[in-house]
Amino acid sequence: MCFQSSRLEARTNPEGEAILFEDQDKSLWDNALIEKGNYYLIPACSGAEVTKYHLEAGIAYWHTTPTDQKKWEYILQLYDQLILIENSPVTALNRLFALAKVYGNEKAITEAEKVNDNHSNSYHALLGYLHAERNIDTAIEHYQQAINLTKSGTEKKTLIKEIKRLTKKKTHNKII
């Protein structure tokens, strides 16, 4: 919880829109909470038992370690272990995001299509993200589907903002 709470200030902008992890202002992260998380994580991992809470804390730790070049490899390894303990749709989608960071969007798209969770806004938001650099039209379609499936106003704002960004990029690319 310390690691998760340390990033609260950076997760939304003044308009209440969600800020994606990659775009968060890391200077807003609470270093005292990160240090407190480290303080509790080390003794918690001293035993032989590994629970979902250990793995989730490890993932949160790596999210607060922005400078390590192998952080996404470590996060993916932890998700690979977590999915064996808790094979939930959320865990699977988060694992796919980490997979994309390590092996690229193409591999993650292939794996995501195996999941085929067409009724999940998070699934379509992830596919929108993964397709954004490769196929803007497909990305927009997935973002639109995510908007249709979510009840969260904050999430809708974030997705609409992404669609506008991609539409602008597409228009700009046609002009060039």
Side-chain angles (χ1 to χ4, degrees):
M1 292 308 295
C2 291
F3 295 127
Q4 297 292 1
S5 297
S6 71
R7 297 187 295 123
L8 284 176
E9 287 294 318
R11 287 185 167 176
T12 56
N13 65 18
E15 291 78 36
E17 298 169 330
I19 299 175
L20 301 176
F21 176 79
E22 296 164 335
D23 299 327
Q24 290 177 9
D25 179 353
K26 285 140 186 80
S27 70
L28 296 175
W29 292 2
D30 186 331
N31 288 319
L33 279 173
I34 293 169
E35 289 176 25
K36 194 174 207 176
N38 289 333
Y39 174 82
Y40 289 118
L41 181 62
I42 293 168
C45 294
S46 62
E49 182 181 19
V50 176
T51 68
K52 76 176 205 156
Y53 301 109
H54 290 100
L55 298 171
E56 289 171 347
I59 292 165
Y61 161 79
W62 282 109
H63 279 302
T64 61
T65 308
T67 56
D68 194 296
Q69 292 179 353
K70 291 190 169 202
K71 95 181 209 168
W72 287 107
E73 291 175 35
Y74 298 134
I75 290 171
L76 179 59
Q77 290 171 9
L78 291 166
Y79 272 120
D80 286 344
Q81 293 175 40
L82 182 59
I83 207 151
L84 295 173
I85 295 171
E86 180 181 75
N87 189 3
S88 72
V90 171
T91 301
L93 293 177
N94 287 336
R95 182 192 168 276
L96 287 170
F97 183 83
L99 184 83
K101 292 295 188 185
V102 176
Y103 295 109
N105 290 7
E106 291 296 322
K107 182 163 177 84
I109 289 168
T110 301
E111 292 296 314
E113 289 171 349
K114 292 176 187 175
V115 173
N116 194 24
D117 190 4
N118 280 317
H119 303 293
S120 166
N121 60 306
S122 298
Y123 173 75
H124 286 287
L126 175 64
L127 280 173
Y129 172 84
L130 294 174
H131 280 285
E133 294 303 315
R134 175 185 137 185
N135 186 325
I136 290 175
D137 290 331
T138 302
I140 290 171
E141 286 174 27
H142 281 290
Y143 282 139
Q144 190 60 54
Q145 188 64 22
I147 289 168
N148 294 339
L149 291 169
T150 189
K151 292 177 173 46
S152 166
T154 300
E155 187 173 348
K156 283 181 184 183
K157 284 181 185 179
T158 302
L159 294 166
I160 289 167
K161 186 175 180 180
E162 257 324 274
I163 289 172
K164 286 179 181 175
R165 183 187 70 79
L166 289 175
T167 302
K168 184 176 180 180
K169 181 178 179 180
K170 183 178 173 180
T171 304
H172 182 275
N173 288 346
K174 282 184 180 180
I175 294 171
I176 295 176

